[in-house]
């Protein structure tokens, strides 16, 4: 948001994340987005928390690995809703901050974004590489400065399950929702 704002690009944050579970995690992440958007006077659209539809689409993909078919389904679903909203409200470009994470596959994300925009004439997906020019480091810097919540898994219940399995195998405690913030001790 900071980079777009500094560049004079007018944009709206569209928050549609029916994949994030549990609801406590979803609400924390949404509130962090709202707080930062408000700080920069950026319009914020709160789309439905459409978990039933997400779980229906995830059937049969529960055991897919991160970056696998389940993630593609999830990105497709979220980009499809974003593209529809953009089309219905006169936006010409959509993009995503998903690619800033080093844990995500940029090609997978960009393919989903382009696929979602394709049915709408005049709508394009901007596949900007947010990782370039220190973008990932800048994200951490801003997160610490703003004392953002530090998510410890992608967001879906299956990612949480798999991350906790991995942590247990390493002798670490399971993820505790709502306690980890950048720049603060784990309480």
């Amino acid at each position: 948001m900071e980079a777009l704002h500094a560049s004079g690009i007018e944009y709206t944050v569209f928050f549609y994340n029916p994949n994030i579970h549990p609801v406590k995690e979803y609400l924390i992440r949404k509130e962090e987005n709202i707080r930062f958007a408000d700080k920069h006077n950026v319009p914020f659209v709160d789309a439905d928390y459409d978990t039933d539809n997400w779980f229906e689409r995830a059937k049969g993909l529960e055991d897919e690995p991160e970056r696998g078919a389940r993630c593609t389904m999830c990105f497709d679903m979220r980009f499809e809703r974003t593209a529809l909203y953009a089309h219905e409200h006169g936006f010409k470009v959509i993009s995503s901050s998903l690619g800033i994470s080093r844990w995500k596959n940029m090609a997978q994300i960009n393919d989903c974004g382009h696929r979602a925009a394709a049915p709408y004439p005049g709508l394009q997906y901007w596949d900007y590489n947010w990782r370039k020019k220190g973008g990932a480091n800048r994200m951490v810097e801003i997160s610490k400065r703003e004392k953002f919540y530090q998510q410890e898994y992608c967001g879906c219940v299956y990612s949480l399950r798999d991350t906790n399995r991995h942590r247990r195998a390493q002798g670490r405690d399971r993820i505790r929702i709502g306690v980890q913030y950048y720049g603060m001790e784990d309480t």
Side-chain angles (χ1 to χ4, degrees):
M1 286 189 221
E2 207 172 65
L4 290 170
H5 189 72
S7 297
I9 296 171
E10 290 184 34
Y11 63 98
T12 297
V13 174
F14 184 76
F15 192 84
Y16 178 64
N17 292 285
N19 57 304
I20 301 175
H21 296 281
V23 70
K24 180 178 180 180
E25 180 81 7
Y26 169 82
L27 292 172
I28 292 168
R29 294 185 191 193
K30 182 173 77 171
E31 289 303 318
E32 295 288 68
N33 275 268
I34 291 170
R35 179 168 60 95
F36 202 63
D38 284 350
K39 181 176 181 173
H40 292 284
N41 298 312
V42 174
F44 184 91
V45 175
D46 184 1
D48 289 338
Y49 187 47
D50 189 12
T51 57
D52 291 343
N53 190 15
W54 188 88
F55 276 111
E56 183 62 33
R57 289 180 71 163
K59 281 185 181 172
L61 302 172
E62 297 90 348
D63 294 318
E64 284 288 316
E66 289 289 316
R67 298 182 175 194
R70 185 182 64 240
C71 293
T72 298
M73 173 282 298
C74 186
F75 298 151
D76 279 341
M77 179 181 179
R78 292 156 60 203
F79 276 125
E80 288 163 8
R81 184 66 185 96
T82 303
L84 176 62
Y85 182 90
H87 172 73
E88 290 174 342
H89 292 86
F91 290 89
K92 302 294 181 204
V93 178
I94 61 173
S95 192
S96 176
S97 61
L98 282 168
I100 200 163
S101 170
R102 61 189 169 99
W103 302 108
K104 298 290 178 230
N105 178 328
M106 290 281 296
Q108 181 184 33
I109 293 165
N110 290 336
D111 287 347
C112 294
H114 287 292
R115 192 167 39 252
Y120 303 104
L123 181 64
Q124 68 178 24
Y125 173 73
W126 182 34
D127 56 6
Y128 184 80
N129 185 344
W130 299 101
R131 294 179 197 166
K132 283 187 175 179
K133 300 178 184 173
N137 290 337
R138 182 72 178 135
M139 175 198 65
V140 171
E141 185 180 301
I142 292 169
S143 295
K144 285 181 179 180
R145 182 190 75 213
E146 299 293 326
K147 295 183 174 61
F148 282 142
Y149 175 68
Q150 186 177 359
Q151 60 195 57
E152 297 186 80
Y153 63 104
C154 181
C156 82
V157 67
Y158 308 116
S159 173
L160 176 59
R161 173 200 65 199
D162 295 345
T163 301
N164 278 329
R165 282 181 184 163
H166 178 73
R167 289 169 72 115
R168 271 194 311 271
Q170 292 182 326
R172 296 172 57 204
D173 290 337
R174 66 177 180 77
I175 291 171
R176 295 182 304 153
I177 305 298
V179 297
Q180 185 71 26
Y181 285 82
Y182 281 99
M184 300 176 76
E185 291 293 323
D186 185 18
T187 57

